[in-house]
Amino acid sequence: YCWDALSEIVRIFGTEWWIDGEYLNISKCERGEYVSLGYGHGLKSGLSQNENTNAVKWFTRLIPVGSSKNIDKNKYGYTTLQLPGREKYIDINTQYGLKEYREEAAFSEIYPHRVGTISSVRSEERTNEETGNYTVYYVKDSSLPFNPDEYMIGGEVVHMTFNSGTLSGKEFEVNWNNDSKEFEIINQYPDENTQLPGGNLIPSAGDTYVLTNISMPWNYIEAAEIQLKEAVEAYLSEYSKDISVYSGNTDYIYIEQNNLPLLLGQRVRLLSELYFDNGERNSRITRVSRKLNNLGEASIDCAETISSSWKSS
């Protein structure tokens, strides 16, 4: 359905969709110059505050869980990637109480790794009594700055995932040959007539790749920890927004005299000594319910975030 597709699009791009007349807008719904609203300034009574927990995740304690990829507990001391300061959790806005939230998926692709480039490829023809003739491919990375033998994880087989070339996105088990400084790619057989790598899907010089199931040198671990820290800070910035809904009933006389627009997305400067430290906060109108016999008399909601599950709720 159209609204499902739109919801998925705006989720990926971190924005909103809204309709204005015949126009579909994919952007945050904000428009107009800021107008002040508060008790005695367009509202008959003070603002009321309500939770908007369907809008975004809400928490005051974030427990970030790093990836376990390329982590050797025996060397690193932990089973997952840690923050540089080894914090187990980070608190924000604890004045609202303690609500824990554990997040793992958002940080799952941050792990110690190196994007390597294949410098040369060779192949060997072999014969097996059961399967007949087959080809084995060997790849070399002449700029590899460490010996993989020194970073093997016990019980794990090293994997190579191609980031470019005809094998882009495909993952293979590999064996490291320390004498020839090559990786031997272990063939895969999707069916009895197909070999990978094989045919047109073979590695080439210039293809990029990433190794997993291998413990990386410490400088890669440090870089991943810093990347995790930056990702956690960005996550906190996104989900530490005020998700409250501020509501009020308009004073139609003030609205008409000052010609204040009551439109979805209208930028407003909310006035309240009760809710805001400096007595005001910029927001926008997210709901308007007007009286048909007096369009200046309305009930409005103002919020920074909106619920993405409007259809189900």
PDB file of all heavy atoms in Angstrom, residues 90-102:
ATOM      1  N   ILE A  90      25.186   4.673  29.512  1.00  0.00           N
ATOM      2  CA  ILE A  90      25.277   6.135  29.490  1.00  0.00           C
ATOM      3  C   ILE A  90      23.920   6.693  29.885  1.00  0.00           C
ATOM      4  O   ILE A  90      22.890   6.299  29.330  1.00  0.00           O
ATOM      5  CB  ILE A  90      25.679   6.644  28.095  1.00  0.00           C
ATOM      6  CG1 ILE A  90      27.052   6.072  27.713  1.00  0.00           C
ATOM      7  CG2 ILE A  90      25.715   8.166  28.061  1.00  0.00           C
ATOM      8  CD1 ILE A  90      27.473   6.410  26.312  1.00  0.00           C
ATOM      9  N   ASP A  91      23.906   7.600  30.846  1.00  0.00           N
ATOM     10  CA  ASP A  91      22.661   8.193  31.337  1.00  0.00           C
ATOM     11  C   ASP A  91      22.417   9.547  30.678  1.00  0.00           C
ATOM     12  O   ASP A  91      23.355  10.328  30.455  1.00  0.00           O
ATOM     13  CB  ASP A  91      22.717   8.391  32.852  1.00  0.00           C
ATOM     14  CG  ASP A  91      22.645   7.075  33.613  1.00  0.00           C
ATOM     15  OD1 ASP A  91      22.206   6.072  33.008  1.00  0.00           O
ATOM     16  OD2 ASP A  91      23.027   7.048  34.798  1.00  0.00           O
ATOM     17  N   ILE A  92      21.156   9.816  30.358  1.00  0.00           N
ATOM     18  CA  ILE A  92      20.736  11.118  29.862  1.00  0.00           C
ATOM     19  C   ILE A  92      19.373  11.452  30.458  1.00  0.00           C
ATOM     20  O   ILE A  92      18.541  10.566  30.657  1.00  0.00           O
ATOM     21  CB  ILE A  92      20.643  11.158  28.318  1.00  0.00           C
ATOM     22  CG1 ILE A  92      19.705  10.047  27.815  1.00  0.00           C
ATOM     23  CG2 ILE A  92      21.995  11.051  27.668  1.00  0.00           C
ATOM     24  CD1 ILE A  92      19.328  10.201  26.365  1.00  0.00           C
ATOM     25  N   ASN A  93      19.145  12.705  30.766  1.00  0.00           N
ATOM     26  CA  ASN A  93      17.834  13.172  31.245  1.00  0.00           C
ATOM     27  C   ASN A  93      17.314  12.324  32.400  1.00  0.00           C
ATOM     28  O   ASN A  93      16.121  11.977  32.456  1.00  0.00           O
ATOM     29  CB  ASN A  93      16.820  13.163  30.094  1.00  0.00           C
ATOM     30  CG  ASN A  93      17.226  14.075  28.954  1.00  0.00           C
ATOM     31  OD1 ASN A  93      17.856  15.103  29.167  1.00  0.00           O
ATOM     32  ND2 ASN A  93      16.873  13.698  27.730  1.00  0.00           N
ATOM     33  N   THR A  94      18.188  11.972  33.331  1.00  0.00           N
ATOM     34  CA  THR A  94      17.763  11.114  34.444  1.00  0.00           C
ATOM     35  C   THR A  94      16.803  11.821  35.402  1.00  0.00           C
ATOM     36  O   THR A  94      16.226  11.174  36.279  1.00  0.00           O
ATOM     37  CB  THR A  94      18.985  10.614  35.225  1.00  0.00           C
ATOM     38  OG1 THR A  94      19.820  11.729  35.577  1.00  0.00           O
ATOM     39  CG2 THR A  94      19.792   9.635  34.394  1.00  0.00           C
ATOM     40  N   GLN A  95      16.645  13.129  35.208  1.00  0.00           N
ATOM     41  CA  GLN A  95      15.674  13.836  36.047  1.00  0.00           C
ATOM     42  C   GLN A  95      14.252  13.355  35.796  1.00  0.00           C
ATOM     43  O   GLN A  95      13.343  13.589  36.597  1.00  0.00           O
ATOM     44  CB  GLN A  95      15.766  15.351  35.821  1.00  0.00           C
ATOM     45  CG  GLN A  95      15.331  15.832  34.444  1.00  0.00           C
ATOM     46  CD  GLN A  95      16.466  15.837  33.443  1.00  0.00           C
ATOM     47  OE1 GLN A  95      17.467  15.135  33.620  1.00  0.00           O
ATOM     48  NE2 GLN A  95      16.338  16.638  32.398  1.00  0.00           N
ATOM     49  N   TYR A  96      14.043  12.649  34.656  1.00  0.00           N
ATOM     50  CA  TYR A  96      12.722  12.111  34.346  1.00  0.00           C
ATOM     51  C   TYR A  96      12.539  10.696  34.878  1.00  0.00           C
ATOM     52  O   TYR A  96      11.524  10.049  34.600  1.00  0.00           O
ATOM     53  CB  TYR A  96      12.503  12.107  32.827  1.00  0.00           C
ATOM     54  CG  TYR A  96      12.584  13.483  32.203  1.00  0.00           C
ATOM     55  CD1 TYR A  96      13.430  13.728  31.130  1.00  0.00           C
ATOM     56  CD2 TYR A  96      11.821  14.530  32.693  1.00  0.00           C
ATOM     57  CE1 TYR A  96      13.516  14.983  30.559  1.00  0.00           C
ATOM     58  CE2 TYR A  96      11.899  15.797  32.133  1.00  0.00           C
ATOM     59  CZ  TYR A  96      12.744  16.024  31.067  1.00  0.00           C
ATOM     60  OH  TYR A  96      12.820  17.268  30.515  1.00  0.00           O
ATOM     61  N   GLY A  97      13.512  10.177  35.626  1.00  0.00           N
ATOM     62  CA  GLY A  97      13.418   8.814  36.131  1.00  0.00           C
ATOM     63  C   GLY A  97      14.410   7.915  35.411  1.00  0.00           C
ATOM     64  O   GLY A  97      15.143   8.348  34.517  1.00  0.00           O
ATOM     65  N   LEU A  98      14.450   6.654  35.795  1.00  0.00           N
ATOM     66  CA  LEU A  98      15.382   5.697  35.208  1.00  0.00           C
ATOM     67  C   LEU A  98      14.626   4.697  34.338  1.00  0.00           C
ATOM     68  O   LEU A  98      13.824   3.904  34.814  1.00  0.00           O
ATOM     69  CB  LEU A  98      16.146   4.946  36.304  1.00  0.00           C
ATOM     70  CG  LEU A  98      17.194   3.939  35.818  1.00  0.00           C
ATOM     71  CD1 LEU A  98      18.266   4.622  34.988  1.00  0.00           C
ATOM     72  CD2 LEU A  98      17.819   3.199  36.998  1.00  0.00           C
ATOM     73  N   LYS A  99      14.887   4.762  33.044  1.00  0.00           N
ATOM     74  CA  LYS A  99      14.325   3.795  32.102  1.00  0.00           C
ATOM     75  C   LYS A  99      15.451   3.296  31.219  1.00  0.00           C
ATOM     76  O   LYS A  99      16.023   4.051  30.434  1.00  0.00           O
ATOM     77  CB  LYS A  99      13.211   4.413  31.253  1.00  0.00           C
ATOM     78  CG  LYS A  99      12.566   3.388  30.318  1.00  0.00           C
ATOM     79  CD  LYS A  99      11.423   3.966  29.525  1.00  0.00           C
ATOM     80  CE  LYS A  99      10.811   2.904  28.623  1.00  0.00           C
ATOM     81  NZ  LYS A  99       9.697   3.425  27.812  1.00  0.00           N
ATOM     82  N   GLU A 100      15.777   2.005  31.351  1.00  0.00           N
ATOM     83  CA  GLU A 100      16.899   1.425  30.613  1.00  0.00           C
ATOM     84  C   GLU A 100      16.474   0.981  29.225  1.00  0.00           C
ATOM     85  O   GLU A 100      15.347   0.535  29.013  1.00  0.00           O
ATOM     86  CB  GLU A 100      17.486   0.232  31.379  1.00  0.00           C
ATOM     87  CG  GLU A 100      18.150   0.612  32.683  1.00  0.00           C
ATOM     88  CD  GLU A 100      18.812  -0.580  33.355  1.00  0.00           C
ATOM     89  OE1 GLU A 100      18.443  -1.726  33.003  1.00  0.00           O
ATOM     90  OE2 GLU A 100      19.682  -0.378  34.216  1.00  0.00           O
ATOM     91  N   TYR A 101      17.403   1.098  28.292  1.00  0.00           N
ATOM     92  CA  TYR A 101      17.174   0.593  26.939  1.00  0.00           C
ATOM     93  C   TYR A 101      18.463  -0.018  26.418  1.00  0.00           C
ATOM     94  O   TYR A 101      19.524   0.615  26.458  1.00  0.00           O
ATOM     95  CB  TYR A 101      16.708   1.712  26.000  1.00  0.00           C
ATOM     96  CG  TYR A 101      16.433   1.212  24.603  1.00  0.00           C
ATOM     97  CD1 TYR A 101      15.301   0.451  24.327  1.00  0.00           C
ATOM     98  CD2 TYR A 101      17.328   1.463  23.570  1.00  0.00           C
ATOM     99  CE1 TYR A 101      15.056  -0.036  23.054  1.00  0.00           C
ATOM    100  CE2 TYR A 101      17.086   0.981  22.288  1.00  0.00           C
ATOM    101  CZ  TYR A 101      15.953   0.241  22.044  1.00  0.00           C
ATOM    102  OH  TYR A 101      15.724  -0.253  20.779  1.00  0.00           O
ATOM    103  N   ARG A 102      18.383  -1.257  25.950  1.00  0.00           N
ATOM    104  CA  ARG A 102      19.546  -1.979  25.439  1.00  0.00           C
ATOM    105  C   ARG A 102      19.489  -1.978  23.910  1.00  0.00           C
ATOM    106  O   ARG A 102      18.508  -2.424  23.320  1.00  0.00           O
ATOM    107  CB  ARG A 102      19.531  -3.422  25.975  1.00  0.00           C
ATOM    108  CG  ARG A 102      20.721  -4.285  25.567  1.00  0.00           C
ATOM    109  CD  ARG A 102      20.562  -5.667  26.206  1.00  0.00           C
ATOM    110  NE  ARG A 102      21.701  -6.528  25.940  1.00  0.00           N
ATOM    111  CZ  ARG A 102      21.837  -7.275  24.863  1.00  0.00           C
ATOM    112  NH1 ARG A 102      20.880  -7.279  23.932  1.00  0.00           N
ATOM    113  NH2 ARG A 102      22.895  -8.047  24.690  1.00  0.00           N
TER     114      ARG A 102
END
